[in-house]
Structure formats: C-alpha cells, structure tokens
Amino acid sequence: MRNSDGTWKYDVILFGTCDGNNNKDISESAYNLVDEFLRTGHGCVFGHDTLRGKESDGSITFPQFYKLGHYLDIT
C-alpha cells in the first residue's frame, strides 16, 4: 500500500464488495496497516456486514474488522 518512498499509494481503500466480505476477516498484520492508514487521515469504505458485531453466542465474526469499528463510532 506504499510507494518506494514510504508515501501511501491510495487515498481510500474498500472492503466488503461481496456480502459480508465473502465471510473473510483481514489478518492482524492487515489490521495494523489499515489502522495506521486511517490514523494518518486516509479513508476507508466498509461494505455490508463487514463490521458486524457479536453473534448470539458472544463470538465476534470478524475480530480484526470489529476492532476498526471505533473509526465509525460503532461500539
């Protein structure tokens, strides 16, 4: 996601064009990169069900995406 000089290649990234991101979470290393990207003022679009919360059994479907919910005031 970076140019050779360390600058970001993108202004906005997008997740979840398939329903629920095709039932796939991002990795912890991807979470860290996306978190840094967002903290530096860049944008992200999260599609339908990507940031869904806890299931009825208390588990979190996509734990890495779930941790990004605070950027959207989702708790």
Side-chain angles (χ1 to χ4, degrees), residues 12-53:
V12 177
I13 54 177
L14 167 70
F15 295 102
T17 58
C18 184
D19 189 28
N21 202 49
N22 201 29
N23 290 319
K24 297 187 186 329
D25 198 4
I26 55 175
S27 67
E28 186 172 351
S29 60
Y31 161 79
N32 291 330
L33 187 62
V34 172
D35 185 57
E36 180 184 355
F37 183 78
L38 296 175
R39 281 187 285 114
T40 59
H42 293 81
C44 187
V45 176
F46 297 99
H48 174 72
D49 288 339
T50 306
L51 294 174
R52 64 181 168 205

